[in-house]
Amino acid sequence: MGAIDWSKSPKPSNTTISFSFEWAMKNLSSGIHPTLPTKQTLKHQGDRLEIPSAAARCEWDFSLSTVVSSSANAAVSDALGSIEFDPSNTVVATGGIARKIRIYSLNSLLPEDNIQLLTRGEQNDTAFLDHVNACSFYICTPAKLSSLRWRPGSGGRLLGSGDYDGVVMEYDLERKLPVFERDEHGGRRVWSVDYSHWDPFVGASGSDDGTMQMWDPRCGSEGGECVAKVQPAAARSSVCCVEFSPFGDSLIALGCADRMAYAYDVRKMVEPLHVLEGHTKTVTYVRFVDAQTMVSAGADGCLKLWNMSDCGLIRTCKGHVNSRSFVGLSVWRHGGLLGCGSENNQVFVYDKRWDEPICARGLEPMARPGFGHAFVSSVCWRQVQEDHCTLLAGGSDGVLQVFVGTKIS
């Protein structure tokens, strides 16, 4: 998503705006029944101690299966800001600076011969492909993209996006046309979009305007009905990431430029349930690891795992380089692995049990004029329950690479 100077992030201060309680009672009360916890705030300076971590050991062997790049003489920036698997885990969407959504079949990115070799523990030859030939099709977008997310319940047909012009859009991939547009962030960049995992589905977006907004996409193509609007920081610090909990509860997590991560209960958004303090720079990503654990990534070069039942800091993971840019964060929940990029153009893999990386792999350099310092700008795990895993990594130079891991017996 590009390099941003977060060194002057404002001090944290909380406020909220508005929430439609009538909508919440109608649509959420009957479908979500967790116990509503009390608000808790973690003051990182000594109130709690991190759980000691044993020495990291790698139980996985990772190899590079596929490299997909653009033509060597391409002059336009093609940084990949977002990579997403569809609900079936067989289709991949990418988006970024080039103003294109590219759709790939997993079979085109991961040849069957390579899969068979890897599952037998044999070394495969890396396949080198071109975006033009590898992708099934692409859709041109009116602005640079910072975020993509598949809309639940659409059978993989609808894909949501957030862009640099502050607009949230949904695209019908069968018709290859936009079918929904929401321009409610005052033209300020939308960093992140997500959808809830309950029915009826709602969407959420976080923006440079300092707000997270939730909307009901059933209310027509003219932007939907805004059902909640939250401003976590009084200074209107950018909301860089939003994610609904995928574990059947009513939580939504935010990462903000005020160095804080927040968790709200969508049924009672007057104030956050949890305020997670510990990062020294902007919180760029938040992801739910399991029903009790969340991970946050910051431009301070740290991943922090949090216990959501008591706001306790479980551990801090360090090893990758991140001080200025969005480098991606993804969780493979079945295997308990965390993947992130790095400003030294490497992909890092952490096991949630340890605070040191278990693997670091450099992206294959692809010589292109005008692209000097490349870094990993996005990552995404394939969410499957198997003894081998797939991690996709996108670079600021537009190169997409596919890593496959096999369990070491």
Side-chain angles (χ1 to χ4, degrees), residues 79 164 300 327 361 387 407:
Y164 279 40
D300 53 4
V327 296
R361 293 292 304 266
D387 286 334
K407 197 77 176 280

Side-chain angles (χ1 to χ4, degrees), residues 90-110:
T90 60
V91 177
V92 177
T94 68
I97 301 301
R99 306 187 184 194
K100 289 181 180 178
I101 297 173
R102 292 191 179 103
I103 303 297
Y104 305 83
S105 164
L106 183 64
N107 290 335
S108 69
L109 296 177
L110 201 57

Side-chain angles (χ1 to χ4, degrees), residues 187-204:
R188 303 295 299 277
R189 185 177 308 183
V190 172
W191 286 115
S192 179
V193 295
D194 195 22
Y195 293 95
S196 67
H197 299 268
W198 62 81
D199 189 3
F201 303 108
V202 294

